[in-house]
Structure formats: structure tokens, C-alpha cells
mmCIF file of all heavy atoms in Angstrom:
data_model
loop_
_atom_site.group_PDB
_atom_site.id
_atom_site.type_symbol
_atom_site.label_atom_id
_atom_site.label_comp_id
_atom_site.label_asym_id
_atom_site.label_seq_id
_atom_site.Cartn_x
_atom_site.Cartn_y
_atom_site.Cartn_z
ATOM 1 N N LEU U 1 189.487 72.784 121.726
ATOM 2 C CA LEU U 1 189.558 71.462 120.878
ATOM 3 C C LEU U 1 190.508 70.424 121.485
ATOM 4 O O LEU U 1 190.219 69.252 121.575
ATOM 5 C CB LEU U 1 190.014 71.879 119.399
ATOM 6 C CG LEU U 1 189.855 70.862 118.344
ATOM 7 C CD1 LEU U 1 188.344 70.268 118.375
ATOM 8 C CD2 LEU U 1 190.196 71.350 117.091
ATOM 9 N N ARG U 2 191.755 70.869 121.984
ATOM 10 C CA ARG U 2 192.635 69.843 122.396
ATOM 11 C C ARG U 2 192.136 69.117 123.596
ATOM 12 O O ARG U 2 192.207 67.948 123.803
ATOM 13 C CB ARG U 2 194.034 70.513 122.779
ATOM 14 C CG ARG U 2 195.104 69.500 123.057
ATOM 15 C CD ARG U 2 196.388 70.099 123.598
ATOM 16 N NE ARG U 2 196.886 70.924 122.547
ATOM 17 C CZ ARG U 2 198.034 71.707 122.775
ATOM 18 N NH1 ARG U 2 198.690 71.755 123.976
ATOM 19 N NH2 ARG U 2 198.605 72.524 121.742
ATOM 20 N N ALA U 3 191.577 69.987 124.653
ATOM 21 C CA ALA U 3 190.958 69.347 125.734
ATOM 22 C C ALA U 3 189.904 68.316 125.398
ATOM 23 O O ALA U 3 189.694 67.344 125.947
ATOM 24 C CB ALA U 3 190.555 70.392 126.633
ATOM 25 N N HIS U 4 189.113 68.717 124.345
ATOM 26 C CA HIS U 4 187.998 67.829 123.969
ATOM 27 C C HIS U 4 188.559 66.513 123.318
ATOM 28 O O HIS U 4 187.978 65.538 123.585
ATOM 29 C CB HIS U 4 187.114 68.575 122.976
ATOM 30 C CG HIS U 4 186.014 67.743 122.379
ATOM 31 N ND1 HIS U 4 184.876 67.280 123.239
ATOM 32 C CD2 HIS U 4 185.705 67.210 121.119
ATOM 33 C CE1 HIS U 4 184.008 66.544 122.500
ATOM 34 N NE2 HIS U 4 184.586 66.497 121.255
ATOM 35 N N VAL U 5 189.439 66.726 122.467
ATOM 36 C CA VAL U 5 190.092 65.384 121.875
ATOM 37 C C VAL U 5 190.607 64.479 122.999
ATOM 38 O O VAL U 5 190.514 63.321 122.947
ATOM 39 C CB VAL U 5 191.168 65.778 120.906
ATOM 40 C CG1 VAL U 5 191.921 64.472 120.424
ATOM 41 C CG2 VAL U 5 190.631 66.533 119.823
ATOM 42 N N ARG U 6 191.191 65.111 123.996
ATOM 43 C CA ARG U 6 191.731 64.368 125.188
ATOM 44 C C ARG U 6 190.508 63.540 125.808
ATOM 45 O O ARG U 6 190.762 62.368 126.164
ATOM 46 C CB ARG U 6 192.480 65.222 126.169
ATOM 47 C CG ARG U 6 193.031 64.453 127.370
ATOM 48 C CD ARG U 6 193.683 65.364 128.386
ATOM 49 N NE ARG U 6 194.910 65.900 127.847
ATOM 50 C CZ ARG U 6 195.054 67.186 127.454
ATOM 51 N NH1 ARG U 6 194.118 68.027 127.662
ATOM 52 N NH2 ARG U 6 196.230 67.542 126.963
ATOM 53 N N GLU U 7 189.476 64.250 126.007
ATOM 54 C CA GLU U 7 188.169 63.563 126.480
ATOM 55 C C GLU U 7 187.752 62.467 125.620
ATOM 56 O O GLU U 7 187.291 61.376 126.054
ATOM 57 C CB GLU U 7 187.118 64.637 126.798
ATOM 58 C CG GLU U 7 185.942 64.124 127.460
ATOM 59 C CD GLU U 7 184.967 65.121 127.827
ATOM 60 O OE1 GLU U 7 184.793 66.173 127.019
ATOM 61 O OE2 GLU U 7 184.120 65.016 128.820
ATOM 62 N N CYS U 8 187.700 62.692 124.270
ATOM 63 C CA CYS U 8 187.372 61.841 123.402
ATOM 64 C C CYS U 8 188.219 60.545 123.386
ATOM 65 O O CYS U 8 187.583 59.416 123.188
ATOM 66 C CB CYS U 8 187.416 62.433 121.981
ATOM 67 S SG CYS U 8 186.171 63.795 121.638
ATOM 68 N N LEU U 9 189.427 60.767 123.634
ATOM 69 C CA LEU U 9 190.285 59.531 123.690
ATOM 70 C C LEU U 9 189.998 58.665 124.861
ATOM 71 O O LEU U 9 190.033 57.388 124.806
ATOM 72 C CB LEU U 9 191.743 59.977 123.824
ATOM 73 C CG LEU U 9 192.464 60.408 122.605
ATOM 74 C CD1 LEU U 9 193.881 61.117 122.956
ATOM 75 C CD2 LEU U 9 192.622 59.251 121.664
ATOM 76 N N GLN U 10 189.446 59.209 125.964
ATOM 77 C CA GLN U 10 189.047 58.396 127.130
ATOM 78 C C GLN U 10 187.788 57.603 126.694
ATOM 79 O O GLN U 10 187.578 56.412 127.009
ATOM 80 C CB GLN U 10 188.622 59.345 128.257
ATOM 81 C CG GLN U 10 189.893 60.028 128.854
ATOM 82 C CD GLN U 10 189.568 61.059 130.005
ATOM 83 O OE1 GLN U 10 188.385 61.331 130.205
ATOM 84 N NE2 GLN U 10 190.625 61.571 130.629
ATOM 85 N N TRP U 11 186.897 58.344 125.944
ATOM 86 C CA TRP U 11 185.651 57.534 125.557
ATOM 87 C C TRP U 11 185.983 56.496 124.495
ATOM 88 O O TRP U 11 185.455 55.325 124.573
ATOM 89 C CB TRP U 11 184.630 58.543 124.807
ATOM 90 C CG TRP U 11 184.084 59.554 125.863
ATOM 91 C CD1 TRP U 11 183.821 59.379 127.163
ATOM 92 C CD2 TRP U 11 183.649 60.882 125.516
ATOM 93 N NE1 TRP U 11 183.232 60.507 127.671
ATOM 94 C CE2 TRP U 11 183.100 61.508 126.739
ATOM 95 C CE3 TRP U 11 183.616 61.708 124.324
ATOM 96 C CZ2 TRP U 11 182.524 62.607 126.778
ATOM 97 C CZ3 TRP U 11 183.077 63.036 124.353
ATOM 98 C CH2 TRP U 11 182.542 63.486 125.618
ATOM 99 N N TYR U 12 186.910 56.884 123.589
ATOM 100 C CA TYR U 12 187.380 55.836 122.590
ATOM 101 C C TYR U 12 188.046 54.584 123.338
ATOM 102 O O TYR U 12 187.630 53.429 122.936
ATOM 103 C CB TYR U 12 188.446 56.425 121.718
ATOM 104 C CG TYR U 12 189.040 55.508 120.663
ATOM 105 C CD1 TYR U 12 188.253 54.879 119.723
ATOM 106 C CD2 TYR U 12 190.466 55.362 120.679
ATOM 107 C CE1 TYR U 12 188.831 54.108 118.897
ATOM 108 C CE2 TYR U 12 190.988 54.598 119.588
ATOM 109 C CZ TYR U 12 190.156 53.961 118.722
ATOM 110 O OH TYR U 12 190.771 53.066 117.757
ATOM 111 N N ALA U 13 188.786 54.770 124.436
ATOM 112 C CA ALA U 13 189.257 53.666 125.113
ATOM 113 C C ALA U 13 188.223 52.854 125.878
ATOM 114 O O ALA U 13 188.302 51.614 125.750
ATOM 115 C CB ALA U 13 190.289 54.092 126.136
ATOM 116 N N GLU U 14 187.277 53.548 126.323
ATOM 117 C CA GLU U 14 186.118 52.871 126.998
ATOM 118 C C GLU U 14 185.371 52.053 125.987
ATOM 119 O O GLU U 14 184.988 50.886 126.268
ATOM 120 C CB GLU U 14 185.214 53.915 127.670
ATOM 121 C CG GLU U 14 183.985 53.366 128.276
ATOM 122 C CD GLU U 14 182.949 54.453 128.747
ATOM 123 O OE1 GLU U 14 183.573 55.625 129.141
ATOM 124 O OE2 GLU U 14 181.774 54.199 128.726
ATOM 125 N N LEU U 15 184.988 52.667 124.841
ATOM 126 C CA LEU U 15 184.114 51.893 123.838
ATOM 127 C C LEU U 15 184.928 50.839 123.118
ATOM 128 O O LEU U 15 184.360 49.742 122.854
ATOM 129 C CB LEU U 15 183.649 52.973 122.864
ATOM 130 C CG LEU U 15 182.705 53.986 123.429
ATOM 131 C CD1 LEU U 15 182.361 54.985 122.244
ATOM 132 C CD2 LEU U 15 181.439 53.416 123.894
ATOM 133 N N SER U 16 186.274 50.971 123.080
ATOM 134 C CA SER U 16 187.033 49.798 122.542
ATOM 135 C C SER U 16 187.072 48.662 123.368
ATOM 136 O O SER U 16 187.237 47.529 122.890
ATOM 137 C CB SER U 16 188.417 50.414 122.220
ATOM 138 O OG SER U 16 188.525 51.433 121.263
ATOM 139 N N GLU U 17 186.753 48.827 124.656
ATOM 140 C CA GLU U 17 186.680 47.668 125.704
ATOM 141 C C GLU U 17 185.304 47.187 125.784
ATOM 142 O O GLU U 17 185.138 46.173 126.528
ATOM 143 C CB GLU U 17 187.288 48.172 126.895
ATOM 144 C CG GLU U 17 188.823 48.343 126.835
ATOM 145 C CD GLU U 17 189.684 47.211 126.440
ATOM 146 O OE1 GLU U 17 189.345 46.008 126.919
ATOM 147 O OE2 GLU U 17 190.547 47.349 125.615
ATOM 148 N N ASP U 18 184.393 47.836 125.109
ATOM 149 C CA ASP U 18 182.969 47.352 125.243
ATOM 150 C C ASP U 18 182.835 45.997 124.754
ATOM 151 O O ASP U 18 183.308 45.655 123.723
ATOM 152 C CB ASP U 18 182.067 48.403 124.369
ATOM 153 C CG ASP U 18 180.589 48.215 124.586
ATOM 154 O OD1 ASP U 18 180.148 47.000 124.467
ATOM 155 O OD2 ASP U 18 179.848 49.152 124.988
ATOM 156 N N ASP U 19 181.947 45.195 125.457
ATOM 157 C CA ASP U 19 181.846 43.803 124.967
ATOM 158 C C ASP U 19 181.115 43.716 123.599
ATOM 159 O O ASP U 19 181.196 42.647 122.791
ATOM 160 C CB ASP U 19 180.956 43.039 125.934
ATOM 161 C CG ASP U 19 181.590 42.706 127.262
ATOM 162 O OD1 ASP U 19 182.999 42.723 127.273
ATOM 163 O OD2 ASP U 19 180.890 42.511 128.319
ATOM 164 N N HIS U 20 180.531 44.720 123.185
ATOM 165 C CA HIS U 20 179.851 44.777 121.923
ATOM 166 C C HIS U 20 180.737 45.358 120.752
ATOM 167 O O HIS U 20 180.398 45.489 119.619
ATOM 168 C CB HIS U 20 178.541 45.732 121.930
ATOM 169 C CG HIS U 20 177.541 45.242 122.942
ATOM 170 N ND1 HIS U 20 177.607 45.463 124.182
ATOM 171 C CD2 HIS U 20 176.465 44.404 122.661
ATOM 172 C CE1 HIS U 20 176.605 44.883 124.820
ATOM 173 N NE2 HIS U 20 175.841 44.257 123.831
ATOM 174 N N CYS U 21 181.936 45.634 121.129
ATOM 175 C CA CYS U 21 182.903 46.038 119.977
ATOM 176 C C CYS U 21 183.471 44.873 119.287
ATOM 177 O O CYS U 21 183.945 43.967 119.867
ATOM 178 C CB CYS U 21 184.118 46.907 120.755
ATOM 179 S SG CYS U 21 185.185 47.650 119.575
ATOM 180 N N LEU U 22 183.424 44.925 117.927
ATOM 181 C CA LEU U 22 183.759 43.802 117.075
ATOM 182 C C LEU U 22 185.178 43.715 117.039
ATOM 183 O O LEU U 22 186.016 44.593 116.731
ATOM 184 C CB LEU U 22 183.172 44.086 115.649
ATOM 185 C CG LEU U 22 181.721 44.261 115.589
ATOM 186 C CD1 LEU U 22 181.227 44.409 114.130
ATOM 187 C CD2 LEU U 22 180.869 42.999 116.181
ATOM 188 N N ARG U 23 185.713 42.438 117.263
ATOM 189 C CA ARG U 23 187.230 42.091 117.301
ATOM 190 C C ARG U 23 187.365 40.806 116.573
ATOM 191 O O ARG U 23 186.570 39.832 116.816
ATOM 192 C CB ARG U 23 187.754 42.089 118.656
ATOM 193 C CG ARG U 23 187.573 43.264 119.537
ATOM 194 C CD ARG U 23 188.031 43.051 120.889
ATOM 195 N NE ARG U 23 187.657 44.170 121.759
ATOM 196 C CZ ARG U 23 186.706 44.263 122.455
ATOM 197 N NH1 ARG U 23 185.694 43.243 122.432
ATOM 198 N NH2 ARG U 23 186.388 45.225 123.345
ATOM 199 N N PRO U 24 188.372 40.723 115.675
ATOM 200 C CA PRO U 24 188.628 39.412 115.027
ATOM 201 C C PRO U 24 189.111 38.410 116.138
ATOM 202 O O PRO U 24 189.830 38.819 117.100
ATOM 203 C CB PRO U 24 189.630 39.697 114.050
ATOM 204 C CG PRO U 24 190.310 40.953 114.472
ATOM 205 C CD PRO U 24 189.282 41.729 115.139
ATOM 206 N N LYS U 25 188.831 37.233 116.045
ATOM 207 C CA LYS U 25 189.357 36.239 116.875
ATOM 208 C C LYS U 25 190.963 36.170 116.749
ATOM 209 O O LYS U 25 191.490 36.220 115.668
ATOM 210 C CB LYS U 25 188.684 34.838 116.644
ATOM 211 C CG LYS U 25 187.253 34.721 116.864
ATOM 212 C CD LYS U 25 186.670 33.414 116.659
ATOM 213 C CE LYS U 25 185.272 33.349 116.914
ATOM 214 N NZ LYS U 25 184.572 32.049 116.598
ATOM 215 N N VAL U 26 191.466 35.935 117.972
ATOM 216 C CA VAL U 26 192.954 35.810 117.932
ATOM 217 C C VAL U 26 193.327 34.459 117.439
ATOM 218 O O VAL U 26 192.695 33.475 117.887
ATOM 219 C CB VAL U 26 193.508 36.019 119.410
ATOM 220 C CG1 VAL U 26 195.000 35.701 119.385
ATOM 221 C CG2 VAL U 26 193.028 37.321 120.032
ATOM 222 N N ARG U 27 194.210 34.437 116.334
ATOM 223 C CA ARG U 27 194.645 33.236 115.816
ATOM 224 C C ARG U 27 195.418 32.369 116.804
ATOM 225 O O ARG U 27 196.443 32.952 117.352
ATOM 226 C CB ARG U 27 195.375 33.478 114.572
ATOM 227 C CG ARG U 27 194.430 34.081 113.382
ATOM 228 C CD ARG U 27 195.338 34.446 112.278
ATOM 229 N NE ARG U 27 194.434 34.841 110.993
ATOM 230 C CZ ARG U 27 194.843 35.900 110.249
ATOM 231 N NH1 ARG U 27 195.891 36.460 110.422
ATOM 232 N NH2 ARG U 27 193.985 36.216 109.269
ATOM 233 N N ALA U 28 195.197 31.100 116.848
ATOM 234 C CA ALA U 28 195.970 30.290 117.720
ATOM 235 C C ALA U 28 197.374 30.117 117.212
ATOM 236 O O ALA U 28 197.625 30.124 116.073
ATOM 237 C CB ALA U 28 195.224 28.833 117.894
ATOM 238 N N ASP U 29 198.317 30.049 118.235
ATOM 239 C CA ASP U 29 199.751 29.903 117.893
ATOM 240 C C ASP U 29 199.880 28.572 117.189
ATOM 241 O O ASP U 29 199.363 27.500 117.631
ATOM 242 C CB ASP U 29 200.484 29.909 119.140
ATOM 243 C CG ASP U 29 202.050 30.037 118.796
ATOM 244 O OD1 ASP U 29 202.451 29.219 117.981
ATOM 245 O OD2 ASP U 29 202.702 30.994 119.464
ATOM 246 N N ALA U 30 200.536 28.609 116.119
ATOM 247 C CA ALA U 30 200.733 27.332 115.238
ATOM 248 C C ALA U 30 201.418 26.306 115.987
ATOM 249 O O ALA U 30 201.222 25.045 115.660
ATOM 250 C CB ALA U 30 201.493 27.592 113.957
ATOM 251 N N GLU U 31 202.227 26.597 117.024
ATOM 252 C CA GLU U 31 202.965 25.609 117.716
ATOM 253 C C GLU U 31 202.245 25.263 119.109
ATOM 254 O O GLU U 31 202.737 24.647 119.867
ATOM 255 C CB GLU U 31 204.358 26.192 118.043
ATOM 256 C CG GLU U 31 205.163 26.430 116.877
ATOM 257 C CD GLU U 31 206.598 26.918 117.075
ATOM 258 O OE1 GLU U 31 206.817 26.989 118.349
ATOM 259 O OE2 GLU U 31 207.390 27.154 116.219
#
């Protein structure tokens, strides 16, 4: 299980960088 979770973390990092992963727009600096 621990080794599998480690592998899942790699997939999670990969999918989080996917262009299709929804992310809120970064708010512009007020200044």
C-alpha cells in the first residue's frame, strides 16, 4: 500500500499539471 500511494503521488502531480486541470485564475496584484 505505501509503495502504491507513492506511485499515486506521481500520477497526482502529473495530472495536476495537465492543461485540462481546472485552476482559478491568479488574481492580479492590486499594486
Side-chain angles (χ1 to χ4, degrees):
L1 192 58
R2 186 187 300 176
H4 178 67
V5 173
R6 182 180 291 109
E7 184 178 30
C8 293
L9 282 169
Q10 296 174 354
W11 292 332
Y12 177 56
E14 174 188 331
L15 295 177
S16 295
E17 294 300 318
D18 190 303
D19 290 341
H20 297 81
C21 189
L22 304 179
R23 305 177 188 86
K25 292 181 180 179
V26 178
R27 291 173 176 146
D29 192 311
E31 297 182 0

